[in-house]
Structures are given as structure tokens and as C-alpha cells.
Amino acid sequence: PIGVRHDEGAETAPQPAAEGARGNIISPYAEEKDSLKCIQSKRSQFSNSPNPSIALSLPEKIEGGLFTKSYVTYLVEAIPLGTKVRKRYSDFEWLRQMMAQIYMGSVIPPIPKKNYGDRFNEVFISKRMRNLEKFMNGLAVDPLMRDSPVLCDFLTIENEDDWNKRRNAFSKMKTPISITEFLSLSGEIKTGVSAEKEMYFTNIKDNASNNENLFQKLLDNYKLLIEGMNNVSKIMADISFIYHALYENSEKYFEDKKATDSYNVMSKLMQDWSDSEKRQSDLMSVEIKEYFRYIKKEFISMKELIAKVEMNKITYKKAEERLVAKKEELFRRQDLSRWEIPQGEVIDRTELAQNKALAFKIMLPKESQSVLMLKYTYGYYLNRIIEEYERIRNLNGVRHSAKINTYCKKNTDIITDLHVGIADLVSYFADGGAGK
């Protein structure tokens, strides 16, 4: 199979026979290549723009009719093209399915799951919009997928009827059958297999699995931390309320403003501190926890491509074993009439009957070619997971730095606001406070 779902599972790949285990066995192929020609991707209006990116904003609820359900649309802007279109969740879901169908050797960015609860909750809508924006920009930063005419039309066709026609046309596109029908930036795909690449693939597989588990632990701890910060914020707000009650109670019975105003000042301090704690927990939830949840899902998407590598290796290895066994049997029987030797091939048949290496190269050419194509397909996915892993790893270096920098700047503003408030209180009491 060229493509498989990541959840279909994969049996253990059969190990190749040790060298010499079947006598003088050699590869059944006359010639192997490290690359093949394929379809070259063409630049689109979107990918030709400098530093293309995508922004989502202005969610809008569309009320349903008698036979339709209500839904939410988002304004999608292609930067710097300036085009703006409105899309609903099912449009993004369809786009991801199309990308997975067309770019079978790519890690498709994750998309938020369907929600069957309160889909019109303001907090949920904002969170979904941010995650859909991450998905869209995951496509925008991929040098191959951002060339896609599907993506370009998704971003640029504003008229709904025109878009529906294009969408229907795209939906009828056939899935590529052969790797030579796949797209690449250069019009060529790598197919070479080596022990070094297979070892690197094993490392990628282990890294993706370990990272998924570590990111889940990270998210679990951030969840606890955010819950703890929210609890602290609530306790501080309760303390603020008590101080305010003390202030009101004292004001009823005493004219001395020093003690009375001190309660009021402490009430304000604890409320400001409570607000600061809540702002920090919200910031951490959006800028850190939400971001790393997306990164975790990206590693899950990478496992979909890893599964394709493993399944295509199993398919190739099993076919190769069957072919070698068949050639062994044909060579043992010495019935050259069943070797399917090509017409017009000038060969010393006596030599051929005695030379296993030469016989294996020449017999069953069609089956040999079919197995070779299976090896090329496995090689394609093997090379693609290495390329995609390197691309995403380099991309994460940039994304992580930018995200942490944004978080620190926003957090600094929150802390500064609290610091200014505390400094004002220090100055207030230094000057003698109320009733001085």
C-alpha cells in the first residue's frame, strides 16, 4: 500500500535473510535508482507572495433555518495578499482531508477535533479559531503544500458559489496511485534506501513517541499549575472581599482613617494581585499550554507518516521474499521456459543454467520490476519522513523561540502593572497614608 491510516497498526517487518543463507543470492533487480522523476509543483499566487501567512479573526454565528443547523464562520485573511474569505469548521476539515490525499508524503498539520457540546461558547470559539489559525499557518510554512492550488483557491475565491464549484472539482481528484504521480518542488523524488537512513528512521520513530508522551506530561502539569494559579487568584479575591468588609465595618464606628483606609488599601492590593494571577494563568493557558498541545498533535500527525513507512517496508519485504523464493524454485528446476526470459535476449543458456546470479537478474522481469517499484515506494516514504522531521525540527526552533518571547513580553506587562500598583502603595504609606 502507498498510504495507510496511522491507527491501522502494523505487524513486525520480516527480517531479511542473512547473507549467504540461501546460497549465492543477490538482489533480483538488474538496476536500482536513488531517485525518480515525478510531477513538479507549480508556484501559486499565495506561495509567490513574500513570507505568506494566514490570520483568522471576527468569528460570526450564522443562524440555522428550518432544515439547517447554526454554525460559526471565521474571517480568513491571506497575508500579504490581502484576500479575505469566510469559512466554517467543515471547510477547514475538508481542506485537511484534501492535503492528506494530495501530499501523502507530508506531515499534515493537526486540526482541532469536532465538538458536540456547546459549540457557541465564546471561550470555545476563540480557542478553536486560534487552533485553526495554527493549522492554516502549518500549511503556509510548508514549502510544498503552500504551492497547492487547493489552498490558494481556498484563500482567494470570495464568492461562495464559485468556491463550491471549485471545491466539488477538487473533491473529484483521484488519489495518486504511483509515486511518480506525486508532487515535489524539484520534479524528482528520492527513493534510495540505506542502513544509515533506516537507523535514522528508528531514531525519528522513538523520538516522536517519546516526545508525544513527554508533551502529554508537560500539558498535565501545566493544567495543574493553571488550576493552582486560578485557585490562588480566587483565594486572593476572597481575602480582598474580607478586607473590604473590614473597611466598611470600621467606617461605621470609627473616625480614625488610618486603620480604616489600611483595610481599603489591602483590599485593593489583594484584588490587584488576584487579577494579576488570573491574567498570568490565562496567558499561560493560551500562549504556552495551547501551543504545546498543538506541537504534541503535530508529533501524532508525524506518526501517520511513520506508519506509512513501516507498512510500505513490510509490503516490499514480503513481496521480495516471495519473489526470491520463486526464483530459487525456478532455478532449481532448470525449466528455462518458465523463466520469462525477454524475447530477443542473446544469452548462453548453458551458462545461464549454471550461473544463479545471472539467472536471478534475467528471470521474471515483470515481477522483478513490480517488487522494485515497491522498494522505491518504501524508499520514498523513508526519505520523506527524514526530510519532514528535519523541516519540522528546524521550524520548531524558530516557533518555540517566538512563542516564549511573546509569552515573556506579555507576562512582563502583567508583572509591571502589579509592580506599579505595589509601588504606589509603598509610596502612599511612606508619605504617612490617610489621616497624616
Side-chain angles (χ1 to χ4, degrees), residues 360-373:
F360 270 43
K361 278 188 175 183
I362 290 179
M363 68 170 62
L364 305 180
K366 291 182 179 180
E367 291 182 49
S368 296
Q369 184 63 27
S370 295
V371 173
L372 179 57
M373 285 305 299

Side-chain angles (χ1 to χ4, degrees), residues 200-413:
Y200 194 19
F201 167 71
T202 299
N203 292 338
I204 291 172
K205 179 183 174 182
D206 292 343
N207 177 257
S209 179
N210 291 337
N211 277 359
E212 182 188 349
N213 293 332
L214 289 171
F215 276 125
Q216 185 57 55
K217 290 180 180 179
L218 184 70
L219 294 170
D220 290 342
N221 279 280
Y222 268 123
K223 180 180 179 180
L224 293 174
L225 178 58
I226 291 166
E227 288 175 351
M229 293 172 72
N230 287 333
N231 286 334
V232 169
S233 174
K234 183 179 182 302
I235 292 170
M236 286 180 168
D238 290 343
I239 293 173
S240 172
F241 177 80
I242 295 170
Y243 272 124
H244 186 71
L246 285 169
Y247 163 74
E248 290 183 333
N249 191 52
S250 297
E251 199 176 40
K252 288 180 182 178
Y253 303 105
F254 302 102
E255 293 182 359
D256 183 3
K257 293 293 184 182
K258 280 193 175 182
T260 302
D261 278 4
S262 295
Y263 292 141
N264 195 33
V265 168
M266 287 303 295
S267 175
K268 182 179 185 308
L269 171 61
M270 297 309 292
Q271 186 58 57
D272 288 349
W273 210 321
S274 170
D275 293 342
S276 176
E277 198 77 12
K278 184 64 171 66
R279 286 172 66 192
Q280 289 189 66
S281 72
D282 290 344
L283 178 66
M284 186 176 292
S285 179
V286 171
E287 296 293 343
I288 300 296
K289 181 171 173 279
E290 211 171 272
Y291 169 71
F292 281 109
R293 183 178 297 279
Y294 172 84
I295 298 299
K296 177 207 165 189
K297 290 181 178 179
E298 195 171 54
F299 275 100
I300 295 175
S301 296
M302 188 179 294
K303 288 172 68 175
E304 296 176 5
L305 184 53
I306 287 171
K308 292 178 184 178
V309 177
E310 293 180 318
M311 284 300 291
N312 280 283
K313 180 177 181 178
I314 290 171
T315 302
Y316 151 62
K317 286 294 184 180
K318 285 184 175 180
E320 183 184 52
E321 285 191 345
R322 289 193 297 268
L323 179 61
V324 170
K326 186 174 182 179
K327 288 188 175 185
E328 283 281 2
E329 180 64 17
L330 289 174
F331 187 80
R332 186 185 66 80
R333 293 188 177 186
Q334 289 292 301
D335 184 358
L336 273 65
S337 64
R338 300 181 59 191
W339 288 14
E340 300 178 10
I341 299 173
Q343 292 283 340
E345 194 77 34
V346 180
I347 300 170
D348 185 331
R349 295 193 171 233
T350 301
E351 178 188 359
L352 189 62
Q354 297 174 351
N355 188 333
K356 180 186 284 188
L358 180 60
F360 270 43
K361 278 188 175 183
I362 290 179
M363 68 170 62
L364 305 180
K366 291 182 179 180
E367 291 182 49
S368 296
Q369 184 63 27
S370 295
V371 173
L372 179 57
M373 285 305 299
L374 291 176
K375 183 175 184 180
Y376 285 156
T377 302
Y378 160 55
Y380 165 75
Y381 282 108
L382 178 64
N383 283 276
R384 280 298 291 160
I385 189 62
I386 292 172
E387 292 169 351
E388 285 288 84
Y389 175 78
E390 290 291 338
R391 179 184 69 83
I392 291 173
R393 189 175 69 166
N394 292 332
L395 179 62
N396 280 346
V398 177
R399 291 191 299 192
H400 293 354
S401 298
K403 180 57 65 176
I404 293 171
N405 185 45
T406 299
Y407 169 75
C408 289
K409 284 182 176 179
K410 291 182 178 180
N411 201 31
T412 299
D413 292 339

Side-chain angles (χ1 to χ4, degrees), residues 6-59:
H6 75 276
D7 57 353
E8 285 178 350
E11 58 188 275
T12 303
Q15 297 299 312
E19 188 173 352
R22 285 187 177 135
N24 187 26
I25 295 178
I26 66 164
S27 169
Y29 316 120
E31 180 184 359
E32 293 188 22
K33 299 177 181 179
D34 287 333
S35 64
L36 292 176
K37 296 290 184 183
C38 66
I39 301 173
Q40 185 170 10
S41 177
K42 295 181 180 179
R43 304 291 287 171
S44 71
Q45 180 186 0
F46 175 66
S47 60
N48 267 329
S49 59
N51 301 317
S53 63
I54 299 163
L56 271 67
S57 62
L58 303 176

